[in-house]
Amino acid sequence: MSALKSVGRDVLPHDLFSGKTVFVTGGGSGINLGIARSFAELGASIGMCGRSQERLDAAAAGLRDFGAKVSATSADVRVPEQLQSAMNVSRDALGDIDILVCGAAGNFLVQGENLSFNGFKTVIDIDLVGSFNASRIAFEQLKRTRGSIIFITAPMAHMAHAYQAHVGPAKAGVEMLMKNLALEWGPYGIRSNSIIPGFIEDTEGMRRISSEADSRNFIQSIPLRRLGMTQEIGQAAAFLSSPLAAYITGTSLWVDGGQALSGSGFFNNNSAAFLASNPRA
Ligand code: COA
Ligand code: NAP
């Protein structure tokens, strides 16, 4: 993990988030761990949850290498009692949450006509209901700290993508949740924004929707001609949580190398072949 290059520490004060607590749902891997790492590098304490305690423990060990205090307790975001308990453990160890990152999500590629009722509900429950649960449970802490929330959404929230009839509505719902909370909780000093990552290399999300070869082809549709890196989402989260963003709320920040400008056609054209070559086990 420490081998990954991050420019956050090169351009921002190392103690930017010293004394601050960041809680990341789904923080044990991928983009969310990249976000946790960016905050840890800049002095924050990290609370996090996910379903696998083993994964969280491995992630926490990496974050402690940066000198961060970490509280990592397994919880399923669909179960408010579990989430409440993980946030209580974090609060007791690290203090009130200043920045909540709602990143836990689930995805798989499936044709709409083959998507089961429970498959649709499962993704809505993790992405949308889980994001509401986390925000609602963290509210009192965020009110005390005049903190902020960052929701991790996806291009599917704004553009139809093939075989994503569950993810599109789930992430679009999260985008609206972000805006509603910005409206209602702004008077408490709580800001609410989202980050929309593009295609981020070496992540589970990418592996579930494309092959290595597809990923390389996608690059032709990305104006900056490369995939994104997890630490670049972390850097965007650091910006949105810094005093530089004090007047920014209710907005979505695309961090996608300009990929949305090309639409979803390239993705749609590859999806049938990917699904055919990766049948569900
Ligand atoms: N294709 C079609 N349907 C699928 C599927 C697939 N690849 N994977 C799961 N489902 C369906 C299941 O069949 C089930 O529906 P059913 O009861 O009608 O059969 C439903 O989705 C729930 O599956 P289950 O495995 O019980 O859910 P879970 O709560 O244990 O796990 C998932 C949630 C399915 C999202 C799982 O993939 C996961 O844990 N994902 C987390 C990691 C991830 O997705 N990372 C990328 C983030 S963008
Ligand atoms: P990932 O590594 O699989 O991250 C998802 C995390 O959420 C995992 O750590 C997982 O841990 C956790 N999680 C899943 N279900 C959960 C639940 N019910 N309760 C608690 N935690 C749960 O995948 P990723 O690709 O980095 O995705 C991270 C975020 O970025 C997601 O919100 C995704 O939609 C978004 N995104 C990704 C991309 C991309 O290119 N990868 C692009 C756009 C948006 P456990 O399994 O241990 O619970």
Side-chain angles (χ1 to χ4, degrees):
M1 180 196 277
S2 51
L4 284 174
K5 182 167 164 31
S6 170
V7 297
R9 271 177 75 87
D10 296 342
V11 298
L12 295 168
H14 294 186
D15 62 351
L16 183 59
F17 297 111
S18 170
K20 303 283 185 194
T21 296
V22 181
F23 191 96
V24 186
T25 70
S29 61
I31 289 174
N32 303 323
L33 179 54
I35 292 171
R37 197 184 71 128
S38 292
F39 281 113
E41 284 181 333
L42 297 170
S45 298
I46 310 293
M48 56 186 184
C49 74
R51 290 164 303 173
S52 160
Q53 187 64 52
E54 200 181 348
R55 170 179 279 176
L56 291 173
D57 289 343
L63 296 173
R64 289 190 184 106
D65 287 345
F66 292 107
K69 286 191 211 155
V70 183
S71 168
T73 308
S74 73
D76 189 320
V77 293
R78 293 169 286 190
V79 186
E81 298 73 22
Q82 290 183 15
L83 205 41
Q84 176 81 65
S85 152
M87 284 191 188
N88 287 350
V89 172
S90 171
R91 186 201 53 217
D92 292 349
L94 311 174
D96 281 338
I97 296 167
D98 296 278
I99 298 144
L100 171 68
V101 179
C102 295
N107 196 7
F108 45 83
L109 220 53
V110 61
Q111 293 101 329
E113 63 268 33
N114 293 333
L115 177 58
S116 73
F117 300 114
N118 190 39
F120 182 83
K121 181 178 182 303
T122 296
V123 170
I124 299 286
D125 281 349
I126 300 173
D127 295 25
L128 177 55
V129 179
S131 294
F132 172 75
N133 290 345
S135 308
R136 177 70 182 80
I137 292 166
F139 170 70
E140 289 299 337
Q141 295 188 40
L142 291 168
K143 193 172 155 194
R144 285 193 289 272
T145 58
R146 298 178 71 79
S148 98
I149 311 175
I150 296 174
F151 296 94
I152 308 303
T153 68
M156 292 81 183
H158 296 271
M159 282 179 281
H161 283 64
Y163 311 147
Q164 294 279 272
H166 43 340
V167 174
K171 292 293 195 182
V174 178
E175 286 282 325
M176 257 340 272
L177 174 65
M178 175 276 286
K179 290 180 191 175
N180 277 274
L181 297 186
L183 184 74
E184 288 194 38
W185 293 357
Y188 298 116
I190 300 173
R191 295 183 301 109
S192 168
N193 294 291
S194 74
I195 293 175
I196 307 172
F199 291 107
I200 307 303
E201 67 183 13
D202 196 22
T203 58
E204 184 61 20
M206 275 301 280
R207 285 186 282 275
R208 283 175 178 240
I209 59 175
S210 65
S211 64
E212 284 273 339
D214 289 343
S215 303
R216 284 193 294 278
N217 290 335
F218 289 172
I219 289 171
Q220 295 312 310
S221 69
I222 301 173
L224 291 184
R225 292 291 187 272
R226 65 173 177 82
L227 300 176
M229 296 181 282
T230 57
Q231 60 268 36
E232 291 176 316
I233 308 304
Q235 287 156 198
F239 161 69
L240 278 177
S241 306
S242 77
L244 296 174
Y247 202 54
I248 299 178
T249 194
T251 198
S252 309
L253 177 59
W254 291 83
V255 186
D256 69 341
Q259 177 257 311
L261 302 173
S262 308
S264 60
F266 65 95
F267 175 89
N268 303 335
N269 292 337
N270 282 290
S271 297
F274 176 74
L275 202 49
S277 58
N278 291 275
R280 199 174 164 201

